[in-house]
Amino acid sequence: MNPIRSKEIKHNILKTINSELEDLKIELNNYLEDEENQNETLKGMLNAIFVLLSEYLSEELSYLNKDEQLDYVEPQIMFNELIKMIEDLNQQNLIKDKTFFIKRLLNFNEKIDKVMTHEEKDQIKEPYLRLNDILNNLQATSVKEETQKHLKYIKYLVFQEKELNLFEKYITMYPDVLSIKDELGNNLFETIFKKYIAFDKKKQSEIDYYFHIIMLLLNSTYGDIFLNQSKKLVKELKLEHLIKDHVYYLVTLLDEDAKLSLSDIESQYKIKFSFPEIIINETNSFIFQNKDRINFTNQPCITIDGEGTCCLDDAIYIEKNIDNTFNLYIYIADIPSFVPYGSLTNYEAIKREENLYLKDKVVLSYPERISHNLCSLLPNNNRNVITTIFKLDSNYELIEDDIKIVKGKIRVTHKLSHKEVDDKLSIMAEDPLTNTLKDLAHFAIKRRKNTKNKEKYRELENLLKPRQHHESLQINTSLAANIVHESMVLINHKIPKYFKETGLPFLYRKVTFPKEKELMEHYAKLKTINDSLLEDPVFKECIRASLIESCYCSTPSYHEGVQQSCYAHASSPIRRASDSLCQYLIYDLIFNQNLKNANLYDWENRINELAVYLNQKKEENDIFIKEYYSLLRKNLIRK
């Protein structure tokens, strides 16, 4: 049976309104019993009714009846009978799409206010009040249903999906869901708190997960309410709970008078804010390895970083050749030339994984003497670098086969901020520095046009995990950010590509987007829990972003984000352990040509182990940064 359409229903209502209304209702009910087309039939009926109500207000019904040679229907009778039909539909609980119905009713009420006088409204007062009773009832029911849908979905996110980033985004977009109480009268914070204290120490992964949920809740819009609520919950704790280490830590955290020390935080998050004395002493014994190094100190190379940055691990220079081609030099701070592989300092950097940029401090991968001084590409200082030299044609296009990787030494001439570069490019003066920046800008714009799709990846990536210190956030407003971003993406692709083509072991970065089938499965699941979220395009994109898989691995894998056959983190060795590891591989396998099978197998095993560790540590660091900010904002850290 096909759904009956609005026009046909309207015609039938007009034909039968006085004498055959019951027969029409039976006919329409037969259509509504057909589950496959029920929704379309119902919408057709509602559309027909509202069109007729609107025509009644516009006094078009009499003309419509005469044109169709039907008996004239008194407007009041018409209105009354139509209201009865709506009441019947509502009583039978057939109005499933309440949002659609409420919208039509509100539009109809608005039209009544516009076209009817008070006297005319009085003539239909009784059915009009009945209509608004239906509206009020449906609105209340709709709110209650939406509330339950949100509660159902947030429980699904927390207890089944266990996707922290998506959960955080959800409670940011729909904060009032946190005030909803379940059938036991508990809000989400109470439910999680009670679940958390019940765990024993054998459930460490569950303890860690629910602790992160608690921290997200404390940092939410309702955080202050939950913090006050926690005081009552803590008072009710039994001794059997308080003697548990994870409960004691949480109780200390929630006690505004006690506050956490930095050592408490170090223990909880496996973080070290400072370096052990043994590491500092070891770095004092290191000496630079300067053998077989090409001297680039005569080149006026440039660093481009944020204001006040001291950890400078990349520089750039471009020169024009006689034949109008260009040489592009990208210099990366050379960690292996100072920090020996296998040293305690090297292992400490791996343990830390990356620099952590907190609100009130930076947790470094390498001691400040290395990261801010001896290996940082500070201006007017000779510095060791790993240099990658690219050849560009006269149109700034990359000549793919013309690439060299060498040990070098540079002396940075210009330490520039993004703003300084953008200001110089906006003035377009004719001086050597500005001309160099112009050529670099042309190169970056050309690269960006050729790899446009990666911008969608950056948007999705920043949707759930915004990175405050990343140049990708500024590429739509800053030429300087484009220069940095495109040169780093180039390095991060070409170096692993060399290793891939030579079959040498390497640490790759893999990014995989969700397939359409996987997305549809998630949307189908969402439809059964809270279908209204499917109408929110931003949240749908958040779901897509949450399904992006990013990880380190030992096999060359397609990076769907930047759409390259392989990719790595190789451009920030002072800030990230993965990047310095790539440099040790360059040294051992390219510069030193240590290509014996035993060495290659050893590297393969080490890379596999390190990939697993770095992936886990990266997740832990991301969580720590968020939760540290929450603790700081709530003034829960002892000064």
Side-chain angles (χ1 to χ4, degrees):
M1 183 185 292
N2 294 322
I4 187 168
R5 300 300 175 191
S6 175
K7 189 174 181 180
E8 185 180 351
I9 296 171
K10 187 174 83 169
H11 179 79
N12 289 343
I13 290 173
L14 284 169
K15 274 201 326 182
T16 61
I17 197 78
N18 282 325
S19 57
E20 302 168 359
L21 189 59
E22 291 304 317
D23 292 339
L24 175 63
K25 287 180 181 178
I26 292 169
E27 180 186 353
L28 292 176
N29 278 332
N30 288 335
Y31 278 97
L32 289 171
E33 287 173 4
D34 177 20
E35 291 187 8
E36 184 179 348
N37 296 304
Q38 187 183 66
N39 198 46
E40 287 300 313
T41 297
L42 182 60
K43 281 196 174 183
M45 289 176 66
L46 294 174
N47 267 322
I49 291 170
F50 281 112
V51 167
L52 289 169
L53 289 172
S54 297
E55 288 174 348
Y56 157 65
L57 291 177
S58 304
E59 297 184 351
E60 294 174 357
L61 282 175
S62 57
Y63 301 110
L64 183 61
N65 286 347
K66 288 174 184 176
D67 289 342
E68 298 188 8
Q69 296 182 336
L70 301 171
D71 294 335
Y72 178 72
V73 179
E74 288 291 333
Q76 288 86 349
I77 296 174
M78 165 64 77
F79 190 78
N80 200 49
E81 292 297 339
L82 292 173
I83 299 302
K84 280 183 182 178
M85 292 189 71
I86 294 175
E87 286 176 327
D88 287 345
L89 291 170
N90 188 41
Q91 285 171 5
Q92 294 176 59
N93 199 28
L94 290 172
I95 303 175
K96 304 296 183 187
D97 191 350
K98 293 180 177 60
T99 303
F100 164 81
F101 187 84
I102 290 168
K103 186 177 179 181
R104 296 305 301 264
L105 261 179
L106 290 171
N107 288 340
F108 179 69
N109 278 350
E110 189 178 329
K111 194 164 186 178
I112 286 179
D113 290 334
K114 282 182 180 178
V115 303
M116 294 190 79
T117 65
H118 287 295
E119 290 78 12
E120 289 171 327
K121 284 182 184 178
D122 283 341
Q123 292 179 28
I124 59 164
K125 183 175 181 180
E126 191 270 335
Y128 179 65
L129 289 174
R130 282 160 46 208
L131 187 64
N132 276 280
D133 283 342
I134 296 171
L135 174 60
N136 294 332
N137 175 265
L138 284 174
Q139 284 178 320
T141 306
S142 179
V143 169
K144 187 175 180 181
E145 287 179 358
E146 284 300 306
T147 298
Q148 289 307 308
K149 285 180 183 178
H150 279 293
L151 181 61
K152 188 177 179 182
Y153 185 65
I154 203 167
K155 285 188 173 182
Y156 168 74
L157 277 181
V158 171
F159 300 118
Q160 294 182 51
E161 195 70 8
K162 295 189 174 181
E163 170 50 60
L164 285 172
N165 289 313
L166 189 58
F167 170 75
E168 181 182 15
K169 191 69 177 181
Y170 183 68
I171 62 175
T172 302
M173 294 174 68
Y174 302 97
D176 289 343
V177 71
L178 297 177
S179 67
I180 301 172
K181 296 191 175 183
D182 61 19
E183 62 279 0
L184 298 175
N186 296 323
N187 60 32
L188 186 64
F189 180 79
E190 292 172 297
T191 302
I192 298 299
F193 185 93
K194 290 172 182 177
K195 196 172 183 70
Y196 178 81
I197 64 170
F199 288 124
D200 59 44
K201 62 182 180 181
K202 294 178 183 177
K203 301 275 188 177
Q204 191 58 49
S205 62
E206 293 288 288
I207 289 170
D208 291 343
Y209 170 73
Y210 285 104
F211 177 80
H212 300 324
I213 293 290
I214 288 172
M215 291 303 296
L216 286 174
L217 292 173
L218 289 175
N219 198 40
S220 70
T221 305
Y222 284 79
D224 290 337
I225 294 172
F226 294 151
L227 195 57
N228 289 327
Q229 196 174 28
S230 69
K231 295 173 183 176
K232 178 175 179 288
L233 293 170
V234 167
K235 285 180 181 178
E236 295 172 353
L237 285 176
K238 297 177 181 177
L239 181 60
E240 65 185 81
H241 295 131
L242 283 169
I243 60 175
K244 298 177 183 177
D245 289 344
H246 67 280
V247 177
Y248 179 78
Y249 178 82
L250 180 61
V251 170
T252 305
L253 183 154
L254 295 171
D255 185 344
E256 293 172 297
D257 295 325
K259 297 189 179 181
L260 297 174
S261 67
L262 290 182
S263 61
D264 291 331
I265 295 170
E266 285 181 325
S267 176
Q268 172 70 15
Y269 293 100
K270 302 168 190 167
I271 293 289
K272 289 182 181 177
F273 289 103
S274 59
F275 287 89
E277 187 176 349
I278 191 171
I279 300 293
I280 301 300
N281 291 337
E282 184 186 57
T283 62
N284 292 330
S285 69
F286 294 156
I287 57 173
F288 279 105
Q289 304 299 315
N290 294 313
K291 187 181 177 182
D292 301 326
R293 202 163 287 277
I294 298 175
N295 189 349
F296 297 107
T297 56
N298 63 325
Q299 293 179 343
C301 57
I302 302 160
T303 61
I304 305 173
D305 285 276
E307 295 276 359
T309 303
C310 297
C311 187
L312 309 174
D313 44 19
D314 58 88
I316 193 167
Y317 177 67
I318 190 170
E319 65 180 3
K320 193 170 186 177
N321 300 316
I322 297 173
D323 61 357
N324 289 325
T325 61
F326 296 88
N327 292 332
L328 175 68
Y329 300 84
I330 300 178
Y331 314 101
I332 305 298
D334 188 340
I335 288 291
S337 72
F338 187 68
V339 181
Y341 184 76
S343 64
L344 293 175
T345 306
N346 168 231
Y347 286 137
E348 184 68 22
I350 291 171
K351 281 165 63 177
R352 292 168 178 248
E353 198 271 325
E354 63 182 337
N355 282 7
L356 306 179
Y357 295 93
L358 309 176
K359 187 81 173 175
D360 61 340
K361 58 173 63 68
V362 178
V363 182
L364 298 170
S365 300
Y366 290 95
E368 195 169 306
R369 180 169 179 262
I370 296 173
S371 61
H372 285 45
N373 187 1
L374 296 177
C375 288
S376 181
L377 306 184
L378 300 173
N380 304 315
N381 287 273
N382 289 352
R383 289 291 183 260
N384 286 353
V385 290
I386 293 179
T387 306
T388 309
I389 308 168
F390 301 93
K391 194 74 172 284
L392 311 179
D393 66 19
S394 58
N395 292 316
Y396 303 94
E397 294 278 8
L398 186 68
I399 300 172
E400 290 287 341
D401 297 330
D402 205 331
I403 296 170
K404 296 177 183 174
I405 304 172
V406 298
K407 290 186 282 185
K409 187 179 289 291
I410 65 168
R411 188 178 181 88
V412 171
T413 308
H414 306 284
K415 180 181 184 289
L416 301 174
S417 68
H418 289 83
K419 185 178 184 306
E420 287 171 326
V421 172
D422 290 334
D423 287 347
K424 282 188 174 294
L425 288 172
S426 66
I427 297 170
M428 299 296 277
E430 289 295 327
D431 61 80
L433 175 57
T434 305
N435 289 336
T436 298
L437 293 174
K438 286 180 195 175
D439 287 331
L440 289 171
H442 284 304
F443 151 75
I445 291 167
K446 181 72 71 171
R447 291 291 299 174
R448 183 177 177 183
K449 284 181 180 176
N450 291 344
T451 54
K452 193 80 175 172
N453 287 331
K454 71 176 180 290
E455 292 179 27
K456 181 62 178 175
Y457 162 60
R458 296 301 180 196
E459 288 174 10
L460 282 171
E461 188 181 42
N462 288 320
L463 193 60
L464 288 187
K465 302 177 184 178
R467 298 176 295 172
Q468 298 175 4
H469 301 275
H470 202 274
E471 72 281 343
S472 65
L473 294 173
Q474 304 172 48
I475 58 173
N476 291 324
T477 57
S478 167
L479 278 172
N482 277 276
I483 292 170
V484 175
H485 187 62
E486 294 301 336
S487 57
M488 295 305 100
V489 169
L490 182 61
I491 279 286
N492 289 335
H493 168 54
K494 292 301 179 182
I495 288 179
K497 186 183 178 190
Y498 177 88
F499 278 81
K500 176 186 175 183
E501 291 174 347
T502 53
L504 297 174
F506 202 66
L507 179 67
Y508 295 93
R509 185 72 177 166
K510 176 183 177 182
V511 170
T512 307
F513 278 19
K515 300 294 183 282
E516 199 62 27
K517 181 182 177 183
E518 187 181 4
L519 267 178
M520 290 302 106
E521 287 173 355
H522 272 74
Y523 292 159
K525 182 70 176 175
L526 182 58
K527 188 175 182 179
T528 65
I529 301 171
N530 190 348
D531 54 354
S532 62
L533 288 173
L534 291 174
E535 298 172 13
D536 186 336
V538 175
F539 192 73
K540 285 181 74 175
E541 284 295 270
C542 290
I543 292 175
R544 183 187 293 272
S546 74
L547 296 173
I548 295 175
E549 293 184 12
S550 305
C551 64
Y552 294 110
C553 58
S554 60
T555 54
S557 304
Y558 188 73
H559 191 297
E560 293 189 33
V562 295
Q563 297 198 321
Q564 298 289 359
S565 58
C566 56
Y567 199 76
H569 282 164
S571 58
S572 301
I574 299 178
R575 306 168 196 241
R576 267 190 315 236
S578 57
D579 303 49
S580 55
L581 177 65
C582 291
Q583 289 194 329
Y584 288 113
L585 285 161
I586 290 171
Y587 257 79
D588 196 40
L589 304 181
I590 297 179
F591 296 157
N592 299 336
Q593 287 290 296
N594 192 356
L595 303 177
K596 292 181 180 178
N597 285 340
N599 187 50
L600 296 179
Y601 293 148
D602 187 40
W603 270 118
E604 286 174 3
N605 290 331
R606 276 182 280 172
I607 290 170
N608 280 324
E609 291 174 1
L610 284 168
V612 172
Y613 172 78
L614 292 173
N615 288 331
Q616 180 182 341
K617 188 61 177 173
K618 172 65 178 166
E619 288 184 16
E620 291 173 0
N621 284 345
D622 287 346
I623 290 170
F624 165 69
I625 291 170
K626 289 179 183 178
E627 295 183 3
Y628 181 86
Y629 172 73
S630 176
L631 292 169
L632 201 64
R633 193 169 72 87
K634 298 288 183 185
N635 196 28
L636 297 175
I637 300 175
R638 197 182 305 154
K639 300 294 184 184

